[in-house]
C-alpha cells in the first residue's frame, strides 16, 4: 500500500487515475495480497476485525477521507462500491467449499465429514475450519444436510451464494448503523441538560 502512495494514491495530476481506477488497483494489488490463502483459514473474530479495519483504512486513504470528515465505514464502502472483508472472506470460503465438493474429493475439513461418531469436543478447543464453514452456511440460510446437492451445480451454487452474501452485507450494514445510533443516543444521555442551555 505504501509503495503505491506516490505513484497511484497521491497522484492527482494524471487524468487517467480516477477514483474507480485507484480502487481497481487496490483490489488487484493490495486486497489480493491481504486475503491470500483465506479460503482455507479459520480466522478468529478479532483477526477479521483487524483485517476489516485495515481494509476501510486503506479505502479512506485512497478516497482522501480523514477522521475529521466524519464519514461512516458504510458510507466509505458504498462510495468505493466494494464489500466489507467479512463478506469477502465468506465468499472465498464458499467458493472453495463448492469447488472441493464438485471435485468429488471427500475432505475432512468439509462440514459433514470428519465428525466424531460419539462424544463431544472439550471446551476451549480452538476454532476449526469446518466450524467456520458451518457458520457461513447458516448465515446464508443454506441447509447443512442438503448443501452438497446445491453445490454440485456450479451456476446454482454461485447464484445462491451471491444472494446470501448480498443479504449478509445488508444485515451487517443495518447492525452497524443500529449500533452507531445507540452509541449516539447514549452519549447524548450522558451530557447534563445545563450544557444545552
Amino acid at each position: 500500500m505504501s509503495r503505491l502512495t506516490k505513484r497511484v494514491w497521491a497522484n492527482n495530476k494524471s487524468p487517467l487515475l480516477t477514483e474507480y481506477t485507484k480502487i481497481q488497483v487496490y483490489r488487484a494489488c493490495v486486497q489480493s495480497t491481504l486475503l491470500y490463502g483465506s479460503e482455507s483459514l479459520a480466522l478468529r473474530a478479532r483477526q477479521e476485525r483487524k483485517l476489516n479495519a485495515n481494509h476501510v483504512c486503506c479505502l479512506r486513504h485512497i478516497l482522501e477521507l480523514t477522521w475529521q470528515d466524519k464519514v461512516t465505514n458504510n458510507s466509505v464502502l458504498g462510495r468505493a462500491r466494494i464489500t466489507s472483508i467479512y463478506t469477502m472472506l465468506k465468499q472465498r470460503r464458499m467458493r472453495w467449499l463448492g469447488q472441493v465438493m464438485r471435485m468429488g474429493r471427500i475432505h475432512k475439513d468439509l462440514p459433514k465429514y470428519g465428525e466424531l461418531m460419539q462424544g463431544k469436543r472439550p471446551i476451549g478447543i480452538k476454532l476449526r475450519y469446518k466450524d467456520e464453514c458451518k457458520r457461513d452456511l447458516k448465515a446464508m440460510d443454506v441447509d447443512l444436510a442438503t448443501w452438497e446437492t446445491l453445490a454440485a451445480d456450479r451456476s446454482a451454487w454461485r447464484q445462491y451464494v451471491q444472494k446470501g452474501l448480498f443479504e449478509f452485507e445488508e444485515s451487517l450494514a443495518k447492525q452497524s448503523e443500529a449500533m452507531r445510533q445507540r452509541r449516539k443516543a447514549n452519549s447524548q444521555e450522558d451530557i447534563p441538560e445545563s450544557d444545552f442551555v
Side-chain angles (χ1 to χ4, degrees):
M1 184 74 184
S2 61
R3 285 184 182 175
L4 293 171
T5 299
K6 192 173 183 181
R7 188 164 291 208
V8 181
W9 317 135
N11 188 356
N12 295 324
K13 294 177 182 175
S14 175
L16 299 176
L17 285 173
T18 61
E19 238 177 48
Y20 176 77
T21 308
K22 291 178 182 181
I23 297 294
Q24 294 306 315
V25 170
Y26 167 75
R27 293 182 78 165
C29 299
V30 181
Q31 183 181 308
S32 59
T33 306
L34 187 68
L35 297 178
Y36 179 77
S38 62
E39 295 90 351
S40 57
L41 291 176
L43 296 172
R44 298 197 174 278
R46 184 177 55 113
Q47 294 167 331
E48 287 184 354
R49 281 196 306 270
K50 282 185 176 183
L51 284 173
N52 194 52
N54 184 7
H55 173 61
V56 175
C57 182
C58 291
L59 290 175
R60 285 178 185 273
H61 180 66
I62 292 168
L63 299 173
E64 297 176 357
L65 297 171
T66 64
W67 64 272
Q68 295 166 337
D69 296 330
K70 296 185 180 180
V71 179
T72 63
N73 289 346
N74 291 336
S75 302
V76 171
L77 293 172
R79 183 171 162 189
R81 290 186 226 105
I82 198 167
T83 60
S84 65
I85 286 289
Y86 305 112
T87 307
M88 289 180 205
L89 289 170
K90 283 187 188 318
Q91 179 185 20
R92 286 170 172 251
R93 277 193 292 264
M94 291 299 102
R95 188 170 45 195
W96 183 85
L97 196 63
Q99 178 67 21
V100 171
M101 195 62 231
R102 284 189 297 276
M103 285 168 49
R105 297 180 185 172
I106 297 176
H107 199 273
K108 68 181 178 67
D109 285 340
L110 293 180
K112 187 172 152 185
Y113 307 104
E115 295 288 334
L116 294 172
M117 294 302 288
Q118 52 185 322
K120 292 184 177 180
R121 294 174 68 216
I123 296 174
I125 300 295
K126 70 175 190 172
L127 181 70
R128 299 176 299 180
Y129 179 74
K130 73 172 87 178
D131 299 330
E132 196 79 24
C133 290
K134 283 181 183 178
R135 192 182 326 158
D136 291 345
L137 288 169
K138 283 182 183 177
M140 291 189 284
D141 293 330
V142 178
D143 187 20
L144 292 175
T146 60
W147 73 271
E148 296 169 345
T149 55
L150 188 61
D153 183 12
R154 184 179 180 186
S155 60
W157 176 252
R158 185 184 297 159
Q159 288 175 354
Y160 200 85
V161 166
Q162 287 297 328
K163 181 181 166 229
L165 290 171
F166 179 75
E167 292 171 358
F168 174 76
E169 184 72 19
E170 279 189 341
S171 69
L172 204 64
K174 286 178 184 174
Q175 285 175 0
S176 66
E177 185 60 31
M179 285 174 58
R180 184 172 168 270
Q181 294 299 330
R182 276 198 305 269
R183 279 195 312 267
K184 203 172 184 181
N186 288 341
S187 68
Q188 288 178 351
E189 287 175 5
D190 294 342
I191 300 172
E193 290 184 18
S194 61
D195 292 348
F196 289 114
V197 178

